[in-house]
Coordinates of all heavy atoms in Angstrom, one line a residue:
H63 N 2.0 -10.2 1.4 CA 0.7 -9.8 0.9 C 0.7 -9.1 -0.4 O 1.0 -7.9 -0.4 CB 0.0 -8.9 2.0 CG -1.5 -8.7 1.7 ND1 -2.5 -9.0 2.6 CD2 -2.1 -8.2 0.6 CE1 -3.7 -8.7 2.1 NE2 -3.5 -8.2 0.8
V64 N 0.5 -9.8 -1.5 CA 0.5 -9.2 -2.8 C -0.7 -9.7 -3.6 O -1.4 -10.7 -3.2 CB 1.8 -9.5 -3.6 CG1 3.0 -9.0 -2.9 CG2 1.9 -11.0 -4.0
H65 N -1.0 -9.0 -4.7 CA -2.0 -9.5 -5.6 C -1.3 -9.4 -7.0 O -1.4 -8.3 -7.6 CB -3.3 -8.7 -5.6 CG -4.0 -8.8 -4.2 ND1 -4.7 -9.9 -3.8 CD2 -4.0 -7.9 -3.2 CE1 -5.2 -9.7 -2.6 NE2 -4.7 -8.5 -2.2
V106 N -2.6 -13.3 -2.0 CA -3.7 -13.6 -1.2 C -5.0 -13.2 -1.9 O -5.9 -12.6 -1.3 CB -3.6 -12.9 0.2 CG1 -2.5 -13.6 1.1 CG2 -3.2 -11.4 0.1
K186 N -8.0 -18.0 1.8 CA -8.2 -16.6 2.2 C -9.6 -16.2 2.3 O -10.4 -16.6 1.4 CB -7.5 -15.7 1.1 CG -7.9 -14.2 1.1 CD -7.1 -13.4 2.1 CE -7.5 -11.9 2.2 NZ -7.0 -11.2 1.0
H227 N -8.7 -11.0 5.7 CA -8.7 -9.6 5.5 C -9.6 -9.0 6.7 O -10.7 -9.3 6.8 CB -9.3 -9.3 4.1 CG -9.9 -7.9 4.0 ND1 -9.2 -6.9 3.3 CD2 -11.0 -7.3 4.4 CE1 -9.9 -5.8 3.3 NE2 -11.0 -6.0 4.0
H247 N -3.7 -6.6 7.2 CA -4.0 -5.2 7.4 C -4.0 -4.9 8.9 O -3.1 -4.4 9.5 CB -5.3 -4.7 6.7 CG -5.5 -5.2 5.3 ND1 -4.6 -5.1 4.3 CD2 -6.5 -6.0 4.8 CE1 -5.0 -5.7 3.2 NE2 -6.2 -6.2 3.5
D319 N 0.3 -5.2 -0.5 CA -1.1 -5.1 -1.0 C -1.3 -4.1 -2.2 O -2.4 -3.5 -2.3 CB -2.1 -4.8 0.1 CG -3.5 -5.1 -0.2 OD1 -3.8 -6.0 -1.1 OD2 -4.4 -4.6 0.5
Ligands
ZN502 ZN1 -5.0 -7.7 -0.4

Side-chain angles (χ1 to χ4, degrees):
H63 191 124
V64 302
H65 300 282
V106 288
K186 167 82 180 288
H227 159 102
H247 321 304
D319 198 22

